[in-house]
Amino acid sequence: MDEAMLQKHIETLPAWCGPSTEFVPLGRLTDLLLVEGLTDLQQKQHDFVQIETTKGTRNASKQISLEKLFLPLSKLSIPPRVSVTIGVSGIGKSTLARLFVHAWGKGELGKDFVFVLPLTFRELNAYDRLSAERLIHLASPRLVDLSLLSFVDTPQTLLILDGLDEFKTRLDFSNAAVCTDLRKEVQVENLITNIIRGNLLRDISVWVTSRPTAASQIPGGLVDRMTEIQGFGEAEIKDYLDHMFIEDSNLSDDVMHLLKGNKPLYIMCTVPAFCRICGSSIGYFLKSAKGSPEMLAVPKTLSEIYSHFFKMALCSEGTGKQNEVPRIEQAEQNCKKTMSCLGRLAFYSLIKKKYIFHEQDMKAYGVDFLSLHISLSNRLLMKEETPLSTLYYFPHLTFQEFLAAAYYYMASKRALFDLFVESGMSWPKLGFLNHFKNAMQKSLQSEDGHLDVFVRFLAGFLSPQVNKVLSDWFLVREEHHSYRSHAISLLQNLLGLDQAVSCRTVNLMRCFHEIQHTEVTGIIEDAMKNENLAGMLTPVNCSALAYVLQTSEVCAEEANLSSCLTYHALQNLLSQLLYCNKLRLDCNQFKDNAMDLLGSVLSGKDCQIQKISLAENQIGDKGAKALARSLMVNRSLLALDLRSNSIGPKGAKAIADALKINQCLLSLNLQNNTMKEDGTKCLAEALVSNHTLMTLQLQKNSIGPQGSKKIAEALKKNWTLKELILSSNCVGDVGAMALGEGLKVNCSLLTLDLQSNSISDAGATALTRALCANQGLTRLSLRENSISSEGAREIGIALRANRCLRNLDLAANLLHDEGIQAIALALKVNQMLTSLHLQWNFIQSNAVKALSQALQFNHSLEVLDLQENAIGDEGMVALASALRVNSTLTALYLQATLIGERGAIALGEALGVNKSLAVLDLRGNAIGLAGAKAMASALKVNSTLRRLNLQENLLGMDGAICIATALTRSHSLTYINLQGNRIGESGAKVITDAICTNAPGCIVEM
C-alpha cells in the first residue's frame, strides 16, 4: 500500500478519536475480562440491574491485556476474526475504542495491523444502504483508490464497529440475505451481518463494542472472542473523585466517605459515568448546603442524586469549568417548556428503545434548539456532526430515563388516555395514580427491564427530598403528599401476588427505596440479623428479602437463610439466589425436590454462588444426584457442605462422578451421610482424577477398614488434597496401616484427622513410621483412640525424625506417664512441633516433670494442652520451673488437673518473669485464696497474658477482690473468667467495674 496514503489515513484518526484522547490514561482498560459469552442477566436485564445484582463483579477466571486482545491465546490457536467487547452503559466502551485507535496511530498497540478502520454505529445510522466498498471509504476517506480494497481485505486490517446498542435497526442473522459482492449496496444491517458472517471482507478482523443486551443480537457461534470491560475498584473510584475535585481534596474525601456509607450507590460507582454523576451531585450538594441544617439531607437514592445533578445542570454550576450560561432566573423561565419537550422526546424514544435522535425527531417533539443550548449548555444532550446529518443523544442512558420519568410525572396529572400510546387512542385513564399504576405494570411486563430505572425515577418524584430539590423547577411544592401513601399501597398490592421473585419485583422494592419507604425492608433486615425469619416470608417479604440480599451489609459476607425457608419460599426466591456469593441453607428440612431447584440454580451461567451449605436437611440420594448434575457444569462453586443428610452410597457415587469432571470445587463436606464402604470407594476413584479438591470431610460415614484402604490408594496418586477428615469411621488398625502406606508416597496432604477410629498401637506405629518419611503432613489428630505407651514410644521416634509436623493431637488415649516421657525426650530434639494436645491421658507428675525438662530445651512448642490429667501441685511446680526459662509457649491449658495452692503459688511466681504466655486456662482446680493472691501478684507485673480463666477455683470474694485490685492498674488482659467462685451479684459488679477501669475493652465473665 502507498505509505503516503496510509500516513494520510493515520492523520484523520485524531478527529475520530476526539480531542481528549491524549489526556485519558489507559488505566483499567489495559486489562479486559475474557468471558465465555453472555449470561442470562446480561441478555435480559437493564444495565443498572446487572451491576446491582452482581454487585459490580463478574466471575471470570482469566484476563487478557489490550495488547494481546487480537492475538492467539496459545501456540495452537489462531487469532480471532470477530471479537466483541461488552460493557454496561458508561463503563468506557467508546473510550476504549478511541484509545486503541489513538495508540495504534502512534505505533503503541495493534502492531500486527497495517490498517485500522474505525466506525461508530451512530455514523452508520445516517445511511439506509451501503456497500462494503463504501463502508471502507467511510472509515478511511483518504483511501481514494478503491482498487486497493483487496489489500485492505486481509487479516492485517481491523474494522472497528463501536456502539452496536446505538444502531437504529436490530441485526437479523436469521433472515438477512447473503451478499458476497463488495460493490453491491444493501441495507446497512444486512451489510453488517454479512461482514460478521464472513460473506464479505472474510479475511478482515472485526471488533464490535456493545452494551450486553444489544450484543445478544450476534449469535455466539460467530463470536471468536468475547471480552468485558471491568468497572472501577475502590482505589480507582477514589482517584476519579480526586481528579474531579482536584482543587479541593477535602471535598473529595467527604464525597468518598458518604459514598462508602451508601452501598447501593457505591456499587454503581464502579461505572465511571455514574461515578461522575454521583460525585458531581454529592459535591454540588455539599458545597450548596455547607453550614446549613440541610446537611442532614445528603442524597441517598438514585432519584435524589439525579435531582441534584439536574438542578446543578439547570443552574449551570458544577465541579468543572463554567460554560456560557444565563442567570438562574432565565433558566427557571424556560425550564418547564424545555423539560417538557425534551422529556416527551426521552419518554417516547425510551418506549421504542431509541437512543439516537436526528433534527427531525427534535422538531417533532417541539424541542427549541435555541432554548436548549442556552439553558442546558450541552450538559443534558450531546450533539455530533456527521457528513450527512446532525445527531443528538443523551450523555448517559439514565439522563433519558430521568427526563422520561419527569415528563410522565407531569403529563399524567392531566392526561386522559394511556400515555404509553403515543397516538392517544386508548381506554380512558384519569388521575396520576392510574397512570402510576399503569407504568408499574408495564415495567413488570417488560422482558428486558428497559423501564426499570424509569419507574424508579417516577417513584422518586414522590420523595419529600426530591420534591424539595426540584419544586422550584418542574415539580409543584409539597404535591407529593397527596400521592405518596396511595402509591405505596399500590406497590404493595402489586407485590402481594403469590409469584416468583424476579428482577422486576425486586425493582419495585427499589421503588420503595426511592419513595423513602423502608419499613418492609427494615423489618426483614432486622429479622436476618437476629436469625428469626421463620414464618415471615409472605410474597411481599420474599421480594424484600431478595432486595436485602443485594443491598444489605448483613448479607455482605454470607446470606444466612437457615431454619426459615420452605420449599415454596425457595421456589419463589430461586432466581435471586444466583447472585449470593456465600449461601447458608442449613436446617430447612429440604428434601430431594428442593435439590432439583437448587441444581437448576447452580447449573445457570449467571451463578455466582461460591459457597453453599445445606447441612442438616433431609437430602437423599436423588437430591445428591440433582446437585451432582449441576456440579458437572458449574464453574463458580468452591465449597459444598452436605453434612448430616442421608445421601448414602448412591448419592456419594453421583457426587464422585461429578468430581471427575468438575475442576472448580475446593472443599466438600459429606460428614454423617451413611456413605459406607461403597460410597467411599467411588470417592476414592474420583480423587485419582480430580486435581482441584483441597478439603474432604468424611467423618461419621461408617467407612471401615476397606473404605480407608481405597482412600489410601487414592492418596498415592492425588497431589492436590490438603485436608482429609476421617474421624469416627471405624478405620481400625487395618485402615490406619493402609493410610500409613499412602502417607509414605503422598507429600501434599497437610491435615489428617483420625479421631475416634479404634486405632491401637499397631495402627499408630504404622502411621508414625510413615511420618519418618513423609515431609508434607503438618497436622495429625489421633484423638480418642486406644494408643498406649508402646504406641507413644513409636510416636517419639517419629518426632525425632520428622521435620514438618506442627500440630499433634493425642488427647483421650492411654499414654500414661511412660508414653509421655518418651514423647518428652523427643521434644528435646524436635524443634518443629508447635501444638501438642495430651488431654485425658492418665498423666501424673512424673510425666509432667519430663515435659518440663523438655520445655527448657524446646524452642518451637507454642500450645500445650494437659487438661483433665492428675498432675497435681508437684507437676505444676515442675511446669512453673520451665515457664521461667521457656520463651515460646503462648497457650497452656490446665483445666481440672488437681492444682492447689502450692502449685498456683509456683505458677504465679513463674508468670512474674515469663514473657511469652498469652493464654492460661486453670478452670476446675482449687487454687483458693492463696493461689489468687499469687496470681494477683503476677498480674501486677506480667504484660503478655491476654486471656485468663479462673472459673471454679474456690477463690471466694476475697480472692476475686485480690485479682480485681491487681487489675485496677493498667493491664494487658482482654478476657478473664471468674465464674463459679461464690462471689455474688453485687460483688461481681464491683469487681467487673474495677477490672474495666483501665481496660474498658476487657471481657469479664462472673
Side-chain angles (χ1 to χ4, degrees), residues 494-540:
L494 289 174
L495 289 169
L497 303 173
D498 191 7
Q499 57 190 343
V501 178
S502 66
C503 289
R504 301 288 82 73
T505 53
V506 174
N507 193 65
L508 291 192
M509 291 306 306
R510 292 186 182 274
C511 290
F512 277 125
H513 179 65
E514 297 297 326
I515 296 178
Q516 295 184 350
H517 178 76
T518 58
E519 181 181 342
V520 178
T521 54
I523 291 171
I524 294 299
E525 193 168 15
D526 288 342
M528 284 201 75
K529 286 179 184 176
N530 300 319
E531 298 185 12
N532 60 356
L533 267 174
M536 293 180 62
L537 296 181
T538 62
V540 173

Side-chain angles (χ1 to χ4, degrees), residues 382-393:
M382 307 298 288
K383 179 181 178 181
E384 182 176 312
E385 299 288 351
T386 68
L388 293 185
S389 64
T390 302
L391 304 178
Y392 296 88
Y393 58 94

Side-chain angles (χ1 to χ4, degrees), residues 814-831:
L814 306 167
L815 303 187
H816 295 280
D817 282 7
E818 295 84 352
I820 299 303
Q821 287 168 341
I823 291 173
L825 285 172
L827 288 178
K828 290 182 179 181
V829 179
N830 182 293
Q831 297 297 326

Side-chain angles (χ1 to χ4, degrees), residues 32-36 61-83 112 223-227:
L32 304 177
L33 297 177
L34 191 62
V35 295
E36 295 185 4
S61 57
K62 294 180 181 178
Q63 289 187 342
I64 187 168
S65 63
L66 190 57
E67 62 184 12
K68 296 180 180 179
L69 183 58
F70 304 105
L71 299 178
L73 293 177
S74 69
K75 294 180 180 179
L76 300 177
S77 59
I78 61 174
R81 180 181 175 273
V82 177
S83 301
D112 291 330
V223 178
D224 300 308
R225 182 169 299 169
M226 182 170 284
T227 52

Side-chain angles (χ1 to χ4, degrees), residues 463-498:
S463 156
Q465 290 298 332
V466 172
N467 181 271
K468 189 173 183 179
V469 173
L470 295 178
S471 58
D472 292 331
W473 298 92
F474 54 87
L475 296 184
V476 177
R477 188 178 294 274
E478 304 295 335
E479 73 172 344
H480 63 283
H481 290 305
S482 58
Y483 303 132
R484 188 169 178 270
S485 61
H486 296 293
I488 290 170
S489 297
L490 190 151
L491 288 172
Q492 288 175 331
N493 290 336
L494 289 174
L495 289 169
L497 303 173
D498 191 7

Side-chain angles (χ1 to χ4, degrees), residues 48 78 134 261 404 556 586 637 781 1000 1006:
F48 262 35
I78 61 174
R134 283 189 64 195
D586 304 340
L637 197 65
S781 176
M1006 299 290 289

Side-chain angles (χ1 to χ4, degrees), residues 84-124:
V84 175
T85 296
I86 58 170
V88 297
S89 176
I91 204 153
K93 299 180 295 297
S94 294
T95 301
L96 175 67
R98 291 196 299 268
L99 287 170
F100 182 89
V101 171
H102 178 75
W104 175 80
K106 295 174 67 177
E108 296 172 354
L109 283 175
K111 296 176 183 178
D112 291 330
F113 293 119
V114 174
F115 224 71
V116 171
L117 305 171
L119 281 170
T120 68
F121 279 96
R122 279 204 297 266
E123 296 174 73
L124 296 178

